Amino acid sequence: MTFRTLMMRIGSFIFGAFLLAEVSSANAMFINGGFETGDFTGWTVSDIGGGSSGVGVDGSAIPGESASFEPAFVNVRGGTQAAFAVVATSLGEFLSLSQTIDLAAGTYNTGFFMGNDNAAEFGINGAISNEHLGIFVDGNNIGFDVRFPDNSFPVGTLPTDTEEFSSEFSVLGGLHTIEFRISGSGNVRPGISVDDAFLNRVADNGISVPEPSTLAVFALGLLGLGMARRTRKTAW
């Protein structure tokens, strides 16, 4: 293959990747999934049944938790900020976070990471049974494919102490609403941290599809290597 042919093929790949990015740039991520704006920008937020919620920096105090969980602090998984909810499922309380996104037809993996930097563990099985802790697509509870396996959600202060809650779902192309419900405990309120909400398209082989922009950057890297190789040959 000649250098010119190689560059033409890479150029075509770059064009295709950018075209794909233009078509589906909104298809594979949430706005402000890590809450790094310091608020709920991009999210529709409801404190259902009572309780409270907010966004704070790592280690900041969570106000309003019940005495059995004091003190409670925000536990951040990535970046500097995370959301939090102060809710109790037996009181009918949960935090609802949702976004409506234009998705291409296909299968997706979505979820969030939850943390507990309280003075005590809190239960999660009751909240899942009550549909106060879960993932909903267009109003339908899709359950969890991945979750912390036990009822007692452990205490931890590190990013690695957060636990993934996620599931896969398939949709036709169009606008779809993805909602996360956050709750726990019984009739007393812990401070629950939530961070790094994600949405990725899944390929037929079960592997997450890279973002179109990632493919384009990779192609640009190949082009750069080709140009460097061409330059070295000219210098020789």
Side-chain angles (χ1 to χ4, degrees):
M1 181 185 299
T2 66
F3 177 79
R4 181 178 179 181
T5 301
L6 175 62
M7 291 301 100
M8 288 179 65
R9 290 187 178 182
I10 292 176
S12 297
F13 179 78
I14 293 172
F15 176 77
F18 275 115
L19 186 61
L20 180 60
E22 185 68 22
V23 171
S24 61
S25 59
N27 287 352
M29 68 171 56
F30 293 114
I31 298 171
N32 193 28
F35 309 99
E36 291 302 303
T37 60
D39 55 25
F40 287 114
T41 295
W43 294 93
T44 298
V45 182
S46 298
D47 294 307
I48 305 297
S52 61
S53 61
V55 175
V57 299
D58 190 39
S60 60
I62 297 176
E65 75 279 1
S66 298
S68 57
F69 294 107
E70 292 179 345
F73 304 97
V74 175
N75 186 9
V76 171
R77 177 179 181 270
T80 62
Q81 309 267 354
F84 63 83
V86 183
V87 287
T89 185
S90 293
L91 301 179
E93 300 172 347
F94 62 89
L95 169 64
S96 170
L97 297 171
S98 66
Q99 292 192 24
T100 299
I101 303 175
D102 188 6
L103 297 176
T107 300
Y108 293 82
N109 183 41
T110 190
F112 55 89
F113 289 82
M114 196 164 78
N116 173 20
D117 191 356
N118 292 268
E121 298 177 345
F122 61 83
I124 59 173
N125 285 350
I128 293 173
S129 297
N130 293 337
E131 295 194 335
H132 295 164
L133 176 59
I135 301 173
F136 293 74
V137 177
D138 298 328
N140 299 308
N141 188 349
I142 63 172
F144 291 121
D145 294 331
V146 176
R147 53 155 285 187
F148 183 72
D150 299 325
N151 175 53
S152 296
F153 195 79
V155 175
T157 62
L158 301 176
T160 52
D161 293 325
T162 59
E163 297 287 344
E164 178 180 339
F165 290 76
S166 64
S167 192
E168 289 189 2
F169 65 95
S170 298
V171 292
L172 300 176
L175 293 174
H176 298 277
T177 299
I178 300 171
E179 177 193 11
F180 300 135
R181 295 184 184 179
I182 310 299
S183 191
S185 187
N187 57 8
V188 289
R189 298 183 177 116
I192 304 172
S193 298
V194 184
D195 203 8
D196 290 347
F198 61 89
L199 173 64
N200 299 306
R201 191 170 180 181
V202 178
D204 292 338
N205 59 6
I207 300 174
S208 295
V209 177
E211 291 293 320
S213 56
T214 301
L215 294 175
V217 169
F218 176 71
L220 286 172
L222 290 178
L223 179 61
L225 288 173
M227 292 298 292
R229 181 180 178 186
R230 178 70 171 176
T231 302
R232 287 197 300 270
K233 282 188 174 181
T234 301
W236 293 340

